[in-house]
């Protein structure tokens, strides 16, 4: 640990600051979903406008994640973290005070910009502050808080909307941001990446490609997959991302060096992350609607009944971090993904138009344990699979893939739901939900298989003993 880090407060402060900042950014992915009816009553707008209050945030967040990480590596991670946090906090206040639906959508887009700068830097700043031997536990707590935020967004949004006002789903971020800004300035140490100049062509290719793909994914279910704009977004985005890959393979100082993916550790954990978020986001999106629309629970009641799943990371993820320090991240991540797949498969087998909560509870618990086992070791595997100076862009790439996976999960599972069922009746909803959950379970199981590709610790030890160059790129933490 550097003298500056120790002087500023070290690991404890870094863990608190980065976990709370990560919670704020992750929470806003789904916090709006249960507030949409109230927002429509107050601000008006068509169904498409309401969907954009969710999509505007997802779009700018996913598109700019790697660019935000690159800016931090170039100009200082703490400095850019503060800038992103300030933008996010200000945009949250603007969203809370929005006089109309258009201004709310604009504020949500700016929120996503701030989150894209802030979120990938939380992991790099935490890594710089925590000694290597203790990173598993630190990542466990960080992962638990972020996992809780993603999964509890509908509960928090529903509770605030039901008992206070929808405005408070945005006001909630403001006091947190105002407290974190001076703390981060005083207690976090500055760090940089390689110092290489910004990769402008790579930035344009990555941002344009991600914009096209994510736009197509979030608009596909609403506008139709054959819509000209959706097709254009998907095709153009795919072409630009292919160009980004070629650029990253040939450029002198690319934003994301493609050689990182030669590491089985880096490619395996990123594939697992994309697939895990695909299955998890899509399942939570539909199950929260099932509990409210079919079983008749209020938003708060539905959120509370999801706690055995969504709250489990707070209990299990720190333990998972300790386990990953002792036995390696690969077995913990793989076990977690297979458990979550089993939980989703079980839920698919028991959901009915009148299912009791007791029948669903085992699936929720198993899924929650699985999700908790994934988060902490996954962060450790991402950060330990690359050199320290490349950790910022590695974090940005992993977060971007997670966001794309989440958007893809909602789009794919919504399409399966619509093809097999619908909102016409409780039975129709269940008819669409079952195959969607089966798909989610299969995708998360594939994520578990991808995790098994990651090399284990014994192979890392053999590489070190043999004097292989840059062994960290191959295995550390596996």
């Amino acid at each position: 640990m550097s003298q500056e880090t120790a002087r500023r407060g070290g690991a404890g402060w870094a863990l608190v600051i980065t976990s709370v900042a990560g919670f704020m950014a992750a929470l806003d992915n789904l916090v709006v979903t249960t507030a949409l009816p109230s927002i429509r009553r107050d601000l008006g707008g068509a169904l498409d406008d309401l969907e954009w209050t969710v999509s505007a945030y997802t779009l700018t967040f996913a598109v700019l994640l790697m660019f935000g990480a690159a800016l931090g590596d170039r100009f200082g991670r703490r400095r850019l973290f503060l800038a992103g946090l300030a933008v996010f906090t200000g945009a949250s206040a603007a969203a809370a005070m929005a006089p109309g639906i258009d201004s709310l959508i604009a504020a949500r887009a700016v929120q996503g910009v701030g989150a894209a700068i802030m979120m990938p830097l939380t992991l790099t700043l935490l890594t710089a502050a925590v000694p290597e031997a203790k990173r598993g536990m630190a990542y466990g707590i960080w992962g638990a808080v972020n996992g809780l935020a993603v999964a509890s967004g509908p509960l928090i949004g529903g509770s605030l909307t039901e008992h206070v006002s929808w405005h408070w789903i945005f006001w909630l971020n403001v006091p947190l941001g105002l407290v974190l800004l001076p703390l981060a300035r005083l207690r976090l140490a500055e760090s940089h990446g390689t110092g290489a100049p910004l990769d402008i062509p790579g930035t344009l290719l990555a941002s344009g490609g991600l914009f096209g793909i994510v736009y197509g994914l979030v608009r596909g279910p609403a506008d139709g997959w054959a819509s000209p704009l959706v097709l254009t977004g998907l095709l153009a985005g795919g072409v630009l991302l292919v160009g980004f890959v070629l650029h990253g393979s040939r450029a002198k100082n690319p934003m994301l060096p493609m050689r990182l993916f030669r590491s089985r550790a880096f490619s395996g954990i990123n594939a697992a992350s994309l697939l895990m978020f695909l299955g998890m986001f899509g399942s939570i999106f539909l199950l929260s609607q099932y509990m409210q629309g079919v079983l008749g629970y209020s938003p708060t009641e539905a959120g509370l009944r999801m706690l055995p799943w969504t709250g489990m990371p707070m209990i299990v993820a720190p333990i998972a971090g300790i386990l990953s320090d002792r036995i390696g991240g690969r077995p913990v991540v793989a076990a977690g993904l297979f458990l979550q797949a089993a939980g989703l498969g079980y839920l698919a087998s028991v959901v009915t138009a009148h299912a009791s909560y007791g029948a669903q509870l085992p699936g929720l618990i198993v899924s929650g344990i699985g999700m908790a086992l994934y988060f902490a070791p996954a962060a450790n595997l991402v950060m330990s699979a690359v050199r320290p100076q490349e950790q910022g862009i590695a974090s940005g790439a992993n977060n971007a893939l997670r966001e794309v996976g989440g958007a893809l999960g909602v789009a794919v599972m919504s399409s399966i739901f619509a093809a097999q069922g619908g909102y016409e009746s409780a039975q129709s909803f269940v008819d669409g939900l079952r195959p969607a959950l089966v798909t989610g379970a299969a995708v998360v199981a594939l994520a578990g298989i991808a995790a098994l590709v990651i090399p284990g610790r014994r192979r890392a030890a053999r590489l070190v003993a043999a004097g292989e160059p840059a062994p960290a790129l191959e295995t550390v933490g596996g």
Side-chain angles (χ1 to χ4, degrees):
M1 186 184 301
S2 71
Q3 291 182 349
E4 184 189 3
T5 301
R7 176 175 61 80
R8 288 181 175 275
W13 279 112
L15 180 58
V16 171
I17 293 166
T18 58
S19 294
V20 175
F23 180 90
M24 293 164 63
L27 179 70
D28 274 57
N29 265 308
L30 295 175
V31 74
V32 177
T33 53
T34 46
L36 293 179
S38 296
I39 292 173
R40 185 177 187 181
R41 283 195 299 270
D42 284 358
L43 301 183
L47 180 61
D48 285 354
D49 295 324
L50 294 177
E51 290 172 348
W52 271 111
T53 64
V54 179
S55 300
Y57 181 83
T58 303
L59 197 58
T60 53
F61 189 15
V63 164
L64 296 175
L65 270 164
M66 283 196 288
F67 183 50
L71 287 174
D73 285 350
R74 180 68 178 85
F75 297 109
R77 292 162 178 163
R78 185 189 65 188
R79 179 182 300 172
L80 266 293
F81 174 80
L82 290 169
L85 179 58
V87 170
F88 183 85
T89 303
S92 297
M97 297 185 293
I101 194 70
D102 291 337
S103 56
L104 176 60
I105 292 170
R108 287 284 287 166
V110 178
Q111 261 193 314
V113 174
I117 298 171
M118 174 177 69
M119 185 64 172
L121 298 177
T122 61
L123 203 49
T124 20
L125 289 166
L126 181 61
T127 301
V130 178
E132 186 174 352
K134 297 181 179 179
R135 284 176 188 163
M137 181 182 292
Y139 291 146
I141 297 170
W142 180 90
V145 173
N146 280 269
L148 179 67
V150 170
S152 64
L155 167 62
I156 294 174
S159 298
L160 289 173
T161 300
E162 186 176 340
H163 300 296
V164 189
S165 164
W166 67 263
H167 301 84
W168 277 93
I169 63 178
F170 303 116
W171 280 126
L172 178 65
N173 294 321
V174 176
L176 291 175
L178 292 177
V179 170
L180 286 185
L181 281 165
L183 282 178
R185 177 67 181 84
L186 295 172
R187 297 296 182 180
L188 292 179
E190 185 60 279
S191 64
H192 295 78
T194 61
L198 284 177
D199 177 16
I200 301 301
T203 298
L204 294 175
L205 287 169
S207 299
L210 286 172
F211 180 89
I213 294 293
V214 178
Y215 177 88
L217 293 176
V218 299
R219 299 307 305 168
D223 297 347
W225 295 104
S227 163
L229 282 176
V230 170
L231 283 176
T232 300
L234 292 173
L235 292 174
V239 170
L240 289 173
L241 287 182
V242 170
F244 176 68
V245 171
L246 295 175
H247 173 78
S249 302
R250 300 170 181 173
K252 183 178 180 181
N253 293 301
M255 171 189 283
L256 179 61
M258 289 299 121
R259 60 177 172 76
L260 295 182
F261 290 95
R262 297 173 191 163
S263 159
R264 283 168 51 196
F266 188 74
S267 57
I269 191 57
N270 277 290
S273 295
L274 185 146
L275 293 169
M276 187 272 189
F277 269 67
L278 194 160
M280 183 188 70
F281 258 69
S283 299
I284 290 175
F285 179 76
L286 291 174
L287 282 170
S288 62
Q289 294 183 67
Y290 165 73
M291 287 193 168
Q292 295 176 62
V294 175
L295 301 183
Y297 298 125
S298 71
T300 304
E301 291 170 340
L304 289 173
R305 283 163 175 78
M306 292 279 281
L307 277 179
W309 183 4
T310 60
M312 196 62 70
M314 294 301 293
I315 302 171
V316 179
I319 300 171
I322 296 171
L323 281 175
S324 72
D325 282 340
R326 294 183 178 178
I327 67 174
R330 178 181 66 173
V332 182
V333 165
L337 291 168
F338 287 128
L339 279 174
Q340 187 167 358
L344 289 175
Y346 174 85
L347 287 169
S349 71
V350 300
V351 291
T352 66
H354 307 286
S356 69
Y357 181 63
Q360 302 168 61
L361 190 57
L364 295 172
I365 293 173
V366 170
S367 294
I369 294 172
M371 183 170 68
L373 288 175
Y374 159 83
F375 272 112
N380 202 348
L381 288 167
V382 170
M383 301 307 283
S384 60
V386 298
R387 298 183 179 98
Q389 64 268 31
E390 294 171 325
Q391 287 175 339
I393 196 58
S395 174
N398 184 256
N399 277 282
L401 287 170
R402 289 182 178 191
E403 288 300 310
V404 171
L408 183 61
V410 172
V412 168
M413 293 175 71
S414 294
S415 296
I416 293 170
F417 168 82
Q420 301 295 322
Y423 293 93
E424 295 80 14
S425 66
Q427 187 57 51
S428 178
F429 193 100
V430 170
D431 290 341
L433 176 62
R434 279 203 196 102
L437 289 178
V438 169
T439 302
V443 169
V444 177
L446 286 176
I449 294 172
L452 292 176
V453 172
I454 300 168
R457 280 186 168 178
R458 290 182 181 178
R459 176 170 165 77
R462 288 198 301 270
L463 282 172
V464 173
E468 292 286 338
L473 285 178
E474 190 67 27
T475 56
V476 179

